[in-house]
Amino acid sequence: MNVLVTGGAGYIGTHVAVELSNAGHGVVLLDSLANSHAEAVRRVERVTGREVAFHTADCTDPVAVDRVFTKHTVDAVVHCAGLKAVGESTEQPVRYYRTNLNAVLTLCEVMHAHGVGAMVFSSSATVYGDPETVPITEDMPLAVANPYGATKLFAEQVLADTTAATSGWSVIALRYFNPIGAHPSGLIGEDPHGVPNNLFPYISQVAAGKRDKLSVFGDDYDTPDGTGVRDYLHIVDLARAHVAAVEHLADASGYRAYNIGTGTGVSVLESIRAFERASGRRVPYEVTARRPGDIATCYADPSAAERDLGWRAELSVEQACADAWRWQSANPNGFAGG
């Protein structure tokens, strides 16, 4: 199968490309490079030992996207492109709505024009908002606590409506919990531009001495140690979930959504300690005020993905910390280091 991966030079997209290639699929990558680096594509080629077709283009540009579909045979799309920081979305909501929703609308239009009706969509556990109970199942009410989550929820609705209106379309939305870690080779990993928006790359930079300390946003949540609890998922496990979803698109037409997580919650303080053990470095931190849009506890019931897609998480938080530290140590300046 030939698979177009949007956001293919990004953190998730590169790992998805590696696992798709390892599974024998053809891969075409598309990325605007607004929050990524072309070196990441070259690293994918090093990891897989195969050349990768890559196009620098923005998913919101219908002409550029159409050009990719015209040049390549595309059997399915894995849509990873988009803005993804919860905190930033509360500060720049219009930018998030315009970018993330325009991207999915443009892709649907171009896919329809080229007779392609198969997509795996990168969604998020943020579509559940602040859940009343955990673990979270796919049939729980959908509500959002921030603009980023709203863009994912609205995009899911667009895709559900499109599959209902278009014969033969098959879309699987993967509701990610919290991807962490890096490829065990140390060649690809999370490379945030500027100040990291996510916990683990920030922890990595503190451990490496690039930043003085970590800010822990609140220690007064209703959790065992007062800090936020999340379902941290090794990026390689997440990438393999995409392969499983791609390979099950033909099972049924219509729209389906699956939680992709480990089913276990880990707090911020537990995460810090796990990284300290993996790196052998101390991670200084200070507790600050809660961050707007954050919730106390969020972890998955991933049993539906195992039942329907044959996927389950196999790698631990400790392995993710070790792989993230390997990536950080070998690439102190990220992909910009060459």
Side-chain angles (χ1 to χ4, degrees):
M1 190 179 296
N2 292 319
V3 184
L4 171 65
V5 181
T6 71
Y11 176 47
I12 294 169
T14 50
H15 289 84
V16 169
V18 166
E19 296 304 321
L20 283 169
S21 183
N22 287 345
H25 298 288
V27 178
V28 178
L29 305 185
L30 181 154
D31 199 296
S32 70
L33 300 181
N35 290 306
S36 55
H37 201 290
E39 172 64 19
V41 178
R42 293 188 282 272
R43 300 289 187 89
V44 169
E45 293 178 328
R46 287 176 60 185
V47 172
T48 63
R50 301 177 185 177
E51 290 188 8
V52 174
F54 173 61
H55 296 268
T56 304
D58 195 311
C59 282
T60 64
D61 181 347
V63 174
V65 175
D66 183 80
R67 192 178 300 124
V68 175
F69 276 77
T70 300
K71 183 171 183 178
H72 300 278
T73 298
V74 176
D75 299 310
V77 175
V78 174
H79 181 35
C80 297
L83 302 174
K84 63 175 186 175
V86 168
E88 184 180 67
S89 78
T90 65
E91 299 165 358
Q92 304 175 37
V94 173
R95 176 173 172 242
Y96 268 69
Y97 286 118
R98 183 176 297 281
T99 300
N100 291 358
L101 296 181
N102 276 1
V104 77
L105 292 168
T106 298
L107 271 173
C108 285
E109 290 171 344
V110 175
M111 287 171 64
H112 187 269
H114 286 267
V116 179
M119 178 192 284
V120 174
F121 174 59
S122 298
S123 191
S124 168
T126 56
V127 299
Y128 297 110
D130 190 353
E132 293 184 1
T133 60
V134 288
I136 297 170
T137 58
E138 288 86 351
D139 59 359
M140 290 177 67
L142 302 181
V144 291
N146 53 71
Y148 166 71
T151 68
K152 291 298 186 182
L153 181 58
F154 297 161
E156 282 202 30
Q157 189 64 56
V158 167
L159 293 170
D161 291 343
T162 300
T163 57
T166 313
S167 176
W169 270 53
S170 178
V171 175
I172 294 177
L174 301 182
R175 293 172 179 165
Y176 306 167
F177 279 67
N178 295 77
I180 61 171
H183 193 269
S185 67
L187 288 172
I188 56 175
E190 191 164 8
D191 182 20
H193 289 191
V195 179
N197 286 308
N198 295 328
L199 175 64
F200 272 81
Y202 208 112
I203 290 176
S204 294
Q205 292 187 8
V206 173
K210 294 187 68 173
R211 300 191 183 277
D212 292 336
K213 58 188 174 183
L214 171 74
S215 293
V216 175
F217 298 110
D219 65 349
D220 57 350
Y221 287 105
D222 184 17
T223 63
D225 62 19
T227 63
V229 169
R230 299 292 183 269
D231 189 332
Y232 293 109
L233 171 72
H234 197 298
I235 186 64
V236 172
D237 274 332
L238 176 61
R240 290 171 180 165
H242 289 77
V243 177
V246 165
E247 293 177 348
H248 281 80
L249 281 169
D251 289 353
S253 61
Y255 178 82
R256 293 169 283 167
Y258 295 98
N259 291 336
I260 303 298
T262 67
T264 301
V266 178
S267 76
V268 174
L269 294 185
E270 287 172 332
S271 301
I272 293 170
R273 289 193 287 270
F275 205 95
E276 287 179 331
R277 291 192 297 271
S279 65
R281 301 288 187 91
R282 180 171 170 269
V283 179
Y285 68 89
E286 69 172 351
V287 176
T288 62
R290 292 187 184 189
R291 187 169 53 181
D294 276 349
I295 61 176
T297 302
C298 183
Y299 62 91
D301 176 347
S303 59
E306 182 171 7
R307 180 192 67 225
D308 294 351
L309 305 180
W311 173 90
R312 63 182 175 86
E314 297 178 345
L315 303 172
S316 67
V317 168
E318 288 72 21
Q319 288 170 292
C321 290
D323 291 335
W325 182 241
R326 185 178 301 108
W327 155 256
Q328 177 69 53
S329 301
N331 304 273
N333 297 311
F335 290 116

